[in-house]
Amino acid sequence: MNVLLNELHAYHHEVAGKINRIKALLKKLKYESASGDDCKLLFKMLESLHGETEQHHHENEELIRRALLTTEAPIHPRVKDIERDHEAFGRIAGQLKMLEDSTQETSAIVAAVDNFIMKYYNHMEAEENIFFPMADKWLSDIQWNEIKCHWH
Ligand SMILES: [Fe+2]
């Protein structure tokens, strides 16, 4: 697979590891008596998923997605959803951050984070199984070089 796609893949792997740690924490918040520190840790971990690295990752994927649209590749509906997902994750990050300062019940926080994780898994799955293989198949060396010029 193309070296840039491998880089995106490796980032997904890293994020999946973080999400697993977030899930363990959610379980604690759901079924055990969690402390305020656990909640703080949860938001800290979520924040690490919404930083500059994440933003750059999405921008890199957008470079590839836009290049793919210029090819003859039959565009799968889930590839079209990717741009919408990237925009949505920005909004969700803001909403989760707002939850931190709110007086919401733990159950509402857990539900919101669970929902985010489900969306994120779904998104990564579509990228890895549909979007990346399509890009690998259809983009030319010239296009990859062009993408590389704008890569973060
Ligand atoms: Fe991604």
Side-chain angles (χ1 to χ4, degrees), residues 13-132:
H13 187 73
E14 204 184 295
V15 169
K18 283 185 184 171
I19 288 182
N20 278 338
R21 291 199 292 280
I22 289 174
K23 276 166 82 175
L25 202 52
L26 282 181
K27 208 170 152 203
K28 198 172 168 193
L29 288 167
K30 252 189 250 181
Y31 302 114
E32 299 162 29
S33 54
S35 65
D37 279 353
D38 288 323
C39 234
K40 259 190 209 145
L41 180 62
L42 174 71
F43 283 107
K44 219 177 156 48
M45 284 165 82
L46 283 170
E47 217 179 291
S48 77
L49 284 184
H50 293 128
E52 200 184 31
T53 323
E54 174 79 4
Q55 188 57 39
H56 285 168
H57 172 78
H58 289 167
E59 282 168 23
N60 287 338
E61 286 170 342
E62 282 299 312
L63 291 173
I64 295 175
R65 196 187 57 81
R66 285 196 295 270
L68 193 59
L69 294 180
T70 68
T71 69
E72 301 280 292
I75 302 299
H76 192 283
R78 285 186 79 185
V79 171
K80 290 186 184 148
D81 290 342
I82 287 172
E83 183 186 24
R84 196 202 56 198
D85 287 352
H86 285 157
E87 288 164 3
F89 285 133
R91 279 197 304 276
I92 294 172
Q95 286 160 0
L96 290 174
K97 211 166 163 39
M98 260 156 50
L99 269 183
E100 187 176 8
D101 307 318
S102 75
T103 51
Q104 289 273 10
E105 296 274 334
T106 310
S107 62
I109 294 172
V110 168
V113 179
D114 261 341
N115 191 268
F116 162 71
I117 289 176
M118 195 191 68
K119 284 200 174 92
Y120 205 100
Y121 272 151
N122 205 284
H123 173 76
M124 281 202 292
E125 202 237 341
E127 288 184 337
E128 289 181 14
N129 296 323
I130 301 166
F131 174 48
F132 295 172

